[in-house]
Amino acid sequence: LTVAVLISGTGSNLRALLEAAASPEFPARVIVVGADREADGLAHAEEFGIPSFVVPWRGAAEREEWGEELDRQLQVWAPDLVVLSGLMRLLPAAVVARWSPRLINTHPAYLPEFPGAHGVRDALAAGATRTGASVIVVDDGVDSGPILAQERVPILPGDDEHSLHDRIKPVERRLLIDVVRRIATGELDLAASAI
Ligand code: GRF
């Protein structure tokens, strides 16, 4: 299974996937990494010798053009699966329509709780005692697609956004790697999951 990973940030989830895919037993290969900016996480792609591309975000007014360029880049590589892992942009509907359900996203909350760009912060602000990590199929909503995997993560007294996100990320990484593996082996049929 060939995989493209799209990031905006540090790419810790990307790195975990690159490390897993470096094992000959892992049934998937990351063939390209894309970003909407010169993300720090692109360094992981370079370290693992994986090609990367950047489609610079130029503001919401140009979302459609940005999406079209991103789509063109992805079509060059024609991956079997696109993984959004810390991509902090909503994909235009045309991009979702072309790639979903072979388009999945990781989210640092127990969806449908706390969707959106600040799921960790929102869980803390809500005074929740637990949150979670989720892997979903991307649909044209915000973190609203079919849930492929999720797991609860406790919120501890004294947690701040950073400490809580640091507790969520390892769970997120484990779920993501397992979902990619199950998609690659055919155990998880994305077409069946799409609503
Ligand atoms: C991850 O928790 C991801 O789910 C969220 O932002 C974080 C990105 O972290 N959207 P990283 O860039 O993978 O370190």
Side-chain angles (χ1 to χ4, degrees):
L1 184 83
T2 57
V3 179
V5 183
L6 301 183
I7 65 168
S8 297
T10 57
S12 65
N13 283 329
L14 162 67
R15 182 176 188 85
L17 197 50
L18 289 171
E19 287 169 351
S23 152
E25 289 82 45
F26 195 73
R29 290 281 168 275
V30 178
I31 56 170
V32 67
V33 176
D36 63 329
R37 55 190 280 273
E38 288 301 330
D40 293 347
L42 291 170
H44 300 313
E46 193 172 341
E47 183 184 330
F48 281 78
I50 309 286
S52 62
F53 63 81
V54 175
V55 180
W57 175 259
R58 290 196 179 84
E62 296 183 41
R63 179 190 299 278
E64 295 307 319
E65 293 81 356
W66 176 79
E68 285 160 12
E69 175 56 25
L70 178 66
D71 199 356
R72 272 193 295 277
Q73 289 285 346
L74 285 174
Q75 290 183 66
V76 165
W77 296 94
D80 299 319
L81 177 68
V82 179
V83 174
L84 308 186
S85 187
L87 182 74
M88 299 312 279
R89 303 292 174 201
L90 292 180
L91 296 177
V95 180
V96 174
R98 180 189 304 280
W99 295 97
S100 193
R102 298 173 302 123
L103 173 62
I104 66 175
N105 181 31
T106 61
H107 184 74
Y110 199 81
L111 292 171
E113 297 169 2
F114 310 120
H118 307 295
V120 179
R121 185 189 310 171
D122 295 345
L124 280 172
T129 55
R130 61 181 188 164
T131 181
S134 306
V135 180
I136 62 170
V137 174
V138 176
D139 67 4
D140 45 21
V142 178
D143 297 323
S144 54
I147 294 170
L148 299 175
Q150 63 183 170
E151 185 173 310
R152 281 289 184 186
V153 174
I155 297 177
L156 304 180
D159 262 339
D160 61 15
E161 187 174 349
H162 186 74
S163 63
L164 179 52
H165 209 161
D166 276 354
R167 186 175 312 115
I168 294 170
K169 279 187 174 182
V171 175
E172 206 174 346
R173 292 197 271 273
R174 178 164 39 80
L175 292 179
L176 175 62
I177 289 163
D178 189 49
V179 163
V180 171
R181 179 190 293 106
R182 288 191 288 132
I183 293 168
T185 61
E187 182 188 337
L188 181 53
D189 174 6
L190 288 174
S193 69
I195 43 184

